[in-house]
Amino acid sequence: MGDYYDIDDILAEEDFVPVQFHKAVNGVKIDESSERGFVEQDSKAELPFWLARGLHLQQAISIKVPACFNRNTRLEIEADAGSVDLRSRCSYFYEFGCKVAPYCDKSIGLLVSYAFKARYKEVLYKAHTKAFAAASKIMTFLTKEETNLYEAAQSSMAAFRKWRMGGPRLQRASILGRKRKPAE
Amino acid sequence: MAGQSGSQLSLFTPDEVEFVAEDELVEIVPNLRMDSLNFICGDYGPFYPQIAIQVPLWLALALKKRGKCTIRPPQWMSIENLTQVLEGERESHAFQTLPFHYVEISRLLFDRARDDIPDVYMVRSLVEDIRDVRFHKVETNLENFTNSSLVLQWKNMAAMEVNIIRAFSGRALQAFYRHENEQAVPDLDRTQDRQPQNLNDRPRVCRSFCCIPIFPLHHWIDKIVFISCLLDYCPTIVFLWRAYCLFVVPLQRNLRPR
């Protein structure tokens, strides 16, 4: 499921999920609007996922489907997955979907898998040969994971082109290139 | 160090792949007389003028640089062969048979031994065309990642082509695998322990030895310790056995009614 210390894992769990409390909770102030220091039973709130999961294991809350997997997004993905701007919805769309799916809705797993396959077929597999101008346009709506893939392809292709052009095999160290000032 | 140029996956830079490619044998015609050279990788020589000999490419290039030999272009680098390979590449979906390091060898020879290759411009343009067609096929194959299972087999790919798509395809395959797994086994209990999945093949030490019998088995002791040492079990278990044998067993023996 990812390492405990992996920064991407930590950031993927930062997104908010809507929850509903089953028990009344004392001593916390979750909503900024409420002045009282506790949360009533059956009230709704938004919590970060790492907190929601811990509370779910204690059966204090139930997790609802987050906003980035709602019906609108599903329709857009089914229509044309390659041009949906997933980054504005959720930077870690796939990771987050994989984590949330066991708790609220198993079909999120299918949605995430379908979205990835469709986007891969349309956008990502061309990553090696895309020109730079087109690439910068596409990268604005890729999620973090897809950007990872894309940049790996681009950098390896750039390294290959640089190698093909040739150049000296031994490179002069940059520190030697500086002119020395005469010691006063 | 080779293989350390990437951040997460082990990646090779094109220079490293070229370095590995220089081990291939090529034929040279030396113009000097020299005793045989003894290297770790083998012995080459003795060198007689105008007698062809097979040496590794790095040695050939070093000799060429000093003007001590001329390099004969390899068999596959003739115009007829390359034209045939190009036709084959354009017609079929499979990759044609080419040496594994053809990109690097051809580039090195073009750079350093240009005058030894007949019709160098024609050969160069043919190799470039072949490379373009093959890479286009690689891309088309990449598109079909989703339809196949987790094991892919593409025959006759060259080293440089593999290197270009190594980072990308490794990560893409990992992502596909993770999504397939999520679909197949979504269960809540997995999130409770934070250990990584079986994506990496970590050998699992069998812990079936943990059920230590309570009653003393003196005649089994040495056998168990011997077996556990053989199979590289956790030394703690061995230590516990020895402690058990040394301290607990005599006590039990004393307590047993005579």
Side-chain angles (χ1 to χ4, degrees), chain B residues 88-132:
Chain B
E89 293 279 352
R90 281 187 176 144
E91 277 160 23
S92 82
H93 275 298
F95 293 103
Q96 299 296 307
T97 319
L98 273 175
F100 188 48
H101 292 282
Y102 81 96
V103 180
E104 298 93 76
I105 297 179
S106 57
R107 191 197 145 240
L108 282 169
L109 290 180
F110 291 144
D111 280 348
R112 318 279 182 86
R114 188 168 297 185
D115 43 347
D116 291 335
I117 305 174
D119 287 324
V120 61
Y121 294 111
M122 188 70 186
V123 173
R124 187 174 191 149
S125 75
L126 279 171
V127 169
E128 296 281 316
D129 286 341
I130 290 177
R131 210 168 40 78
D132 281 334

Side-chain angles (χ1 to χ4, degrees), chain A residues 9 13 53 103 110 112-113 116-117 120-121 124-125 128-129 148-149 156 160 163-164 166 169, chain B residues 15 18 22 107 112 128 131 139 142-143 145 160 164 168 171-172 179-180 183 188 191 194:
Chain A
D9 212 43
E13 294 186 354
R53 182 171 59 196
Y103 293 100
L110 290 168
V112 157
S113 165
F116 184 66
K117 284 185 184 149
Y120 178 83
K121 266 187 124 68
L124 290 178
Y125 84 98
H128 282 109
T129 47
N148 228 4
L149 273 179
S156 70
F160 170 69
W163 169 81
R164 194 162 61 96
R169 288 188 75 173
Chain B
D15 292 305
E18 184 189 57
E22 285 179 343
R107 191 197 145 240
R112 318 279 182 86
E128 296 281 316
R131 210 168 40 78
E139 259 203 327
L142 275 182
E143 185 185 358
F145 259 14
M160 190 53 79
I164 291 176
F168 177 81
R171 289 181 190 174
H179 286 135
E180 294 289 318
Q183 262 183 276
L188 263 158
T191 57
R194 278 287 201 163

Side-chain angles (χ1 to χ4, degrees), chain A residues 46-91:
Chain A
E46 295 242 325
L47 294 178
F49 178 70
W50 50 270
L51 184 57
R53 182 171 59 196
L55 290 174
H56 182 91
L57 289 174
Q58 296 175 2
Q59 278 120 28
I61 56 169
S62 69
I63 303 185
K64 309 276 182 230
V65 177
C68 46
F69 302 110
N70 62 5
R71 200 169 153 64
N72 279 345
T73 318
R74 273 175 206 262
L75 290 174
E76 279 189 34
I77 287 178
E78 274 163 32
D80 180 13
S83 51
V84 179
D85 187 358
L86 286 182
R87 185 190 275 198
S88 62
R89 294 217 162 80
C90 176
S91 298

